[in-house]
Amino acid sequence: MDTPLKTRSFEPPEADMALVGRDNLTARVYQELRQALMEGRFRPGHRFKIRQLAQSLGVSETPIREALMQLVRERVLDMQAARSIAVARLTSAQYQELRGIRLLLEGFAAEQAATRITDSAIAELRLHHQALADAERDGEWRKAVEANWHFHNTIYRAAGMPELLGMIETIWLRNGPLLNILYPRAVPTYRDRHQHLNVIDGLVARDPKAVKQAIQEDLMEGGSKLIELLDEIDEGKVPLYPE
């Protein structure tokens, strides 16, 4: 004789709605943190204070913890002793490996954007680059890191390839915080003019090859001093942050 199925006890509808609401909050917090990390608003080693973050975002601590743990699983954040969660720091080897991948992905995105970008987006790029130049001149390093992200992100979005954009953003989640240590010890320098200007010229000319080359040169030239600094940090010659 078959064993009868147990009667299922259903949760009230409000319970399901609460779960959906929590999932939505977690997704919102996750997106907020992603944006902040890509923009470089958190430095490597930054330890998150869950209660403080919950208050600033106007949510409970649960979606904060869930969003942070998702970023831990993605290797963007590190789970440390006593369940402390901090922004991961890339070694020189990790940075260079990711830069090699970026050269391919971001070069391809820039190439695709060359014939698809709008005039208004190019105008935005000019504003983002000027904001970067002004911030570097005035020593406002956080603003410089953020402006640089918006410059690059505007180009990659213009490519109109959401799957490719997702891959690029995943790398920038780990790369964005690291750019904070560019300043003031490894400020990007260029052999001639700033490669951002060459990127803009290539976009105006709708020249995919020129835009791809300028983006790749920007990654190589702009990050050369950063690699030297990371090598010294890895070898223990200098601290991660000067006192």
Side-chain angles (χ1 to χ4, degrees):
M1 183 174 181
D2 293 336
T3 303
L5 293 174
K6 291 184 178 179
T7 302
R8 179 182 175 187
S9 60
F10 288 95
E11 295 285 347
E14 290 79 7
D16 290 337
M17 292 177 66
L19 180 59
V20 171
R22 193 185 76 183
D23 287 346
N24 287 340
L25 282 176
T26 299
R28 180 169 69 83
V29 171
Y30 175 72
Q31 290 302 325
E32 291 275 358
L33 290 172
R34 276 177 58 93
Q35 186 68 23
L37 287 160
M38 288 186 289
E39 289 180 358
R41 280 186 264 158
F42 296 112
R43 305 195 310 177
H46 173 86
R47 291 188 178 184
F48 289 96
K49 298 178 180 179
I50 293 177
R51 181 174 299 176
Q52 185 180 58
L53 193 55
Q55 291 174 346
S56 68
L57 292 177
V59 300
S60 68
E61 295 182 14
T62 298
I64 298 293
R65 288 194 184 92
E66 291 174 347
L68 290 174
M69 287 307 301
Q70 187 170 345
L71 290 165
V72 169
R73 290 190 293 270
E74 295 173 356
R75 300 175 63 209
V76 177
L77 306 181
D78 282 335
M79 176 75 82
Q80 300 177 336
R83 300 179 66 183
S84 174
I85 297 176
V87 178
R89 182 185 77 80
L90 297 178
T91 64
S92 180
Q94 288 174 314
Y95 172 76
Q96 291 184 69
E97 180 179 349
L98 289 176
R99 187 179 68 169
I101 299 169
R102 290 177 61 203
L103 288 170
L104 298 174
L105 297 182
E106 295 180 34
F108 179 56
E111 191 175 41
Q112 296 302 307
T115 55
R116 303 179 184 183
I117 196 166
T118 63
D119 290 340
S120 61
I122 293 176
E124 286 181 33
L125 287 176
R126 296 187 191 278
L127 294 176
H128 292 317
H129 177 68
Q130 189 60 53
L132 169 63
D134 291 345
E136 288 187 339
R137 180 198 63 215
D138 298 337
E140 296 182 339
W141 310 130
R142 183 65 60 81
K143 289 183 179 180
V145 172
E146 185 175 344
N148 181 66
W149 158 244
H150 286 295
F151 180 90
H152 284 265
N153 185 246
T154 299
I155 297 169
Y156 307 147
R157 287 187 176 277
M161 304 180 73
E163 297 295 336
L164 176 60
L165 180 64
M167 295 179 192
I168 291 172
E169 288 186 344
T170 296
I171 296 176
W172 271 83
L173 282 173
R174 301 180 68 194
N175 189 74
L178 187 68
L179 297 185
N180 282 284
I181 71 171
L182 279 171
Y183 303 104
R185 295 182 290 173
V187 178
T189 57
Y190 300 88
R191 290 187 296 272
D192 298 309
R193 66 199 302 240
H194 201 296
Q195 287 294 344
H196 283 188
L197 299 177
N198 293 332
V199 169
I200 293 172
D201 287 350
L203 291 170
V204 170
R206 299 296 193 266
D207 185 340
K209 183 178 179 180
V211 178
K212 177 180 180 179
Q213 180 177 346
I215 280 289
Q216 291 178 330
E217 289 291 336
D218 181 45
L219 298 181
M220 296 296 292
E221 288 187 65
S224 60
K225 287 187 176 180
L226 177 58
I227 290 175
E228 294 176 5
L229 177 58
L230 286 173
D231 286 340
E232 292 183 339
I233 292 172
D234 290 349
E235 294 167 5
K237 295 179 179 179
V238 297
L240 178 60
Y241 299 114
E243 296 181 0

